[in-house]
Amino acid sequence: MIFMKTILVLFGGCSSEHSVSLQSAYAVLAHLDLNKYHPLPVGITEDGRWLCCAGGFDGLLRGSWQAEGIPCALRLDRGQTALLLLDGSGNTLNFDAAFPVLHGKNGEDGTVQGLLELVGIPIIGCGTLSSALCMDKDRAHRLAEAAGVPVPRSAAVSAGASWEDVQAAAETLGYPLFVKPVRAGSSFGVSRVETPEALPAAVENAFRQDSRILLEEAVPGFEVGCAVMGNPGETALTVGAVDEIELSGGFFDFEEKYTLKTSSIHCPARISLKRAEEIQTAARKVYEALDCRCFARVDFFLTPEGGILFNEVNTIPGFTAHSRYPSMMKAAGLDFPALLDRLIELGAGA
């Protein structure tokens, strides 16, 4: 008799990236090997309600999952990896591990991971500390730099700082520069600032997303990324092919990330093998320095002189069949179903 693991797949969430999560979760659910796993899809609405979609996951595409879902909650008794249905039946649904496919705040930042770890639920993905550190661009940069990986020059500014301090930080960095929320995903709240006159609007835009923002030098060159998989200290780290973002102008904002209207992604990147190996080595260093486990995507800037500067880590990157992380791993020899097998093994055990 073959024992099938039940995998709780969390999607949606109270996040500006809610709709993207639905696309990623659908791809994960559609590519799970149903001879090995029983999926248990649970959606979190934008106002925070948990709904069990035990009848199937096609509703993610139809937009009907909220109407069809059954209200539910996690059993919070430690060691009880079970979902409690709140339909009056008192029924529970047991599962073996949780796969959060939640992008951005309230999902990728350690909040959900903390809840799962409190109950003792195995997580397919990074844990609480790593998720929180990677979401915080300022602290992630500091730890990467301490591990020997160069980072762009930047200055963190908190809400309540004087405008004079903001201006002084910008003048020290020089124009053009980027203004970013410290904790946000998919380039929400990010602006490229060419002149001092454009700085106030960019700062206001970033503060809409977070109470801390980052002013960062504009690095010449282009963005590259590297998929990493494994549990440091337990398993050897696997790295995918390095990819490259080609822009026709501007920067890789939310619209470009999910439409590619004027940009292209090249996987493998159009760089030398030596340079790709240097990026993969840097990705491993960052992954370990930030306590990542199971999987993450590490992004860098590659300068015209060949310099490699750390940009950010996505602990729950896009997971559609055409997203960057699966594409990097496919180029390294792992197709989507095999990739999911490996991730579940890393997060939930063999």
Side-chain angles (χ1 to χ4, degrees), residues 9-10 14 179 190 227 229 244 270 291 298 306 310 331 342 344:
V9 178
L10 288 170
C14 309
V179 179
V190 176
M229 178 172 61
E244 165 199 347
R270 300 170 300 176
D291 198 37
V298 188
F310 169 60
R342 183 66 180 132
I344 292 171

Side-chain angles (χ1 to χ4, degrees), residues 285-316:
K285 286 184 180 179
V286 171
Y287 190 90
E288 293 184 337
L290 291 172
D291 198 37
C292 296
R293 67 178 299 276
C294 202
F295 70 94
R297 195 190 74 230
V298 188
D299 295 340
F300 300 91
F301 300 111
L302 183 61
T303 71
E305 297 76 28
I308 299 167
L309 279 71
F310 169 60
N311 180 18
E312 63 180 0
V313 176
N314 282 269
T315 53
I316 308 179

Side-chain angles (χ1 to χ4, degrees), residues 205-222:
N205 185 38
F207 272 132
R208 290 194 191 102
Q209 298 291 329
D210 194 18
S211 60
R212 292 172 63 233
I213 65 172
L214 199 68
L215 277 64
E216 184 178 285
E217 68 170 324
V219 178
F222 55 88

